[in-house]
Amino acid sequence: MGNDTFAIPSLQSLLENNYKVSAVVTNPDKPQGRGLKLLPQPLRAFALEKNLTVWSPSDLKSPEFISELKKLKPDIIVVVAFTILPEQIFSLPALGTINLHPSLLPKYRGAAPIRWALINGEKETGVTTFFIEKKVDAGNIILQKKVEIFPDETYGELSERLSKIGAEVLIESLKLVQEKNFTPLKQDENLSSKAPKIKKEDCKIEWSQEAKKIKNLIRGLSPEPGAFTTYQDKIVKIYQAQVLEEKNYDANFGEIVEASDKNGIVVKTRRGSLKILSIQLEGKKMISGEDFVRGYRVKVGEKFI
């Protein structure tokens, strides 16, 4: 059970390791892109290419879907980047239902663990497999693997890396749960933290923060949905930035202190300045800071707000 591209390496590994995948369950197709064309979930498209049985129920609690699932008599259900399951589904398999989660649980429980780990400036994260229970992301742990976060790594890059590492850990976990003497590890509630779904207001750059913190926000939201600010009353998204120095400032946060077609754009923050490496004006394509200066005649003294 899964939806986005993060789940694809896990399904690929199940097939390569000769596990019998009786069915793949995804959300229904949804409108995507500017034209809002009805496109399949990435995992659904991949599963269909592999000629697997795919179900996309609009209601996971529907009697018809539950009935079809029971007919399969699954030994185990594997969940990767999906949605919250009703108990009548996760309690169905003989060996239980296991979830692959991209954090070191109980840290970063919730929908956006990779993003929040980057936004918060974590130096390491990881993947966890655990048995699903009623409380979200709180079930007993099967296996964990720590992963270093690289200094300039973006959400897109880290997510892709964790999806591949997670696929390997998933296979190891399936072997473990079949052992007679295997005992999963209870999560320590005292160490838990949340990683809720990213909201639009979470994406706005506050230039009164320090440069390092703004850079981490940009990393955690790149390539989508993108950290945003405004320039001349238009929305701009910033996808990559570099911290230049550690000097403290007490006013004019967001002011452009350098604008050239050689060095690009440098912006003042509360602590340090930030060089903009890639930027996108609303309705336009992503370009470098240098190209933005040339194309929009950016001047020193103007401000991002």
Side-chain angles (χ1 to χ4, degrees):
M1 296 185 174
N3 282 316
D4 67 25
T5 52
F6 189 88
I8 291 175
S10 290
L11 178 54
Q12 179 74 51
S13 288
L14 290 171
L15 298 173
E16 289 175 352
N17 284 274
N18 299 315
Y19 284 94
K20 183 184 176 183
V21 180
S22 300
V24 174
V25 180
T26 72
N27 286 348
D29 299 348
K30 64 177 182 179
Q32 297 178 50
R34 288 186 181 180
L36 293 178
K37 292 182 179 179
L38 204 62
L39 298 174
Q41 298 286 352
L43 186 68
R44 174 179 168 83
F46 178 82
L48 290 172
E49 284 178 13
K50 300 295 182 182
N51 296 314
L52 298 172
T53 298
V54 181
W55 294 331
S56 298
S58 56
D59 180 9
L60 291 175
K61 294 180 180 178
S62 73
E64 294 81 10
F65 173 63
I66 300 292
S67 175
E68 288 299 312
L69 203 54
K70 285 180 177 178
K71 287 178 186 176
L72 288 182
K73 296 180 180 178
D75 295 307
I76 200 160
I77 292 176
V78 171
V79 179
V80 186
F82 196 44
T83 189
I84 296 174
L85 296 181
E87 186 173 5
Q88 59 199 121
I89 289 180
F90 71 70
S91 62
L92 184 63
L95 292 173
T97 297
I98 68 173
N99 182 265
L100 171 65
H101 186 79
S103 82
L104 295 173
L105 290 174
K107 285 186 175 182
Y108 295 111
R109 291 174 175 172
I114 302 174
R115 296 189 190 282
W116 285 112
L118 288 166
I119 291 169
N120 291 337
E122 298 283 6
K123 298 292 191 296
E124 69 175 18
T125 184
V127 293
T128 303
T129 50
F130 67 96
F131 287 107
I132 289 181
E133 58 177 44
K134 279 186 180 181
K135 187 175 179 181
V136 176
D137 295 337
N140 291 342
I141 292 170
I142 301 165
L143 197 59
Q144 285 189 321
K145 184 169 184 177
K146 288 184 181 179
V147 177
E148 178 189 2
I149 298 177
F150 304 137
D152 295 314
E153 199 163 23
T154 64
Y155 164 73
E157 294 163 344
L158 182 56
S159 179
E160 182 178 359
R161 198 156 62 92
L162 288 179
S163 72
K164 294 173 182 176
I165 294 169
E168 296 171 0
V169 171
L170 174 62
I171 298 303
E172 291 179 50
S173 301
L174 289 173
K175 293 173 182 176
L176 279 175
V177 300
Q178 292 176 82
E179 294 179 2
K180 287 184 179 179
N181 299 323
F182 172 70
T183 303
L185 180 69
K186 188 176 177 62
Q187 292 191 36
D188 185 348
E189 291 297 320
N190 295 320
L191 300 176
S192 70
S193 61
K194 294 182 179 180
K197 186 177 180 180
I198 296 288
K199 299 175 182 176
K200 185 176 180 180
E201 56 264 33
D202 297 321
C203 303
K204 189 176 190 307
I205 296 172
E206 298 294 341
W207 295 102
S208 59
Q209 295 180 332
E210 61 179 74
K212 189 184 294 184
K213 191 167 184 179
I214 296 171
K215 177 188 172 180
N216 288 337
L217 177 72
I218 291 166
R219 293 166 61 210
L221 301 174
S222 179
E224 48 84 24
F228 74 90
T229 184
T230 58
Y231 172 74
Q232 295 184 349
D233 297 325
K234 291 185 177 180
I235 297 290
V236 293
K237 291 186 176 183
I238 299 173
Y239 298 98
Q240 192 177 9
Q242 176 187 354
V243 176
L244 290 187
E245 96 285 307
E246 294 293 324
K247 183 179 177 182
N248 287 328
Y249 295 98
D250 55 12
N252 297 321
F253 310 124
E255 180 184 0
I256 296 170
V257 294
E258 184 172 349
S260 73
D261 55 10
K262 287 186 178 180
N263 295 319
I265 305 168
V266 179
V267 186
K268 185 191 292 185
T269 74
R270 179 173 294 279
R271 179 171 176 78
S273 57
L274 205 66
K275 182 176 180 179
I276 308 304
L277 302 179
S278 59
I279 186 170
Q280 181 183 27
L281 187 71
E282 57 181 313
K284 305 295 183 179
K285 65 179 183 179
M286 186 195 307
I287 56 176
S288 68
E290 292 83 356
D291 285 342
F292 194 83
V293 171
R294 282 190 286 267
Y296 300 101
R297 299 180 181 179
V298 180
K299 296 178 178 64
V300 170
E302 293 182 318
K303 289 186 77 174
F304 287 114
I305 299 173

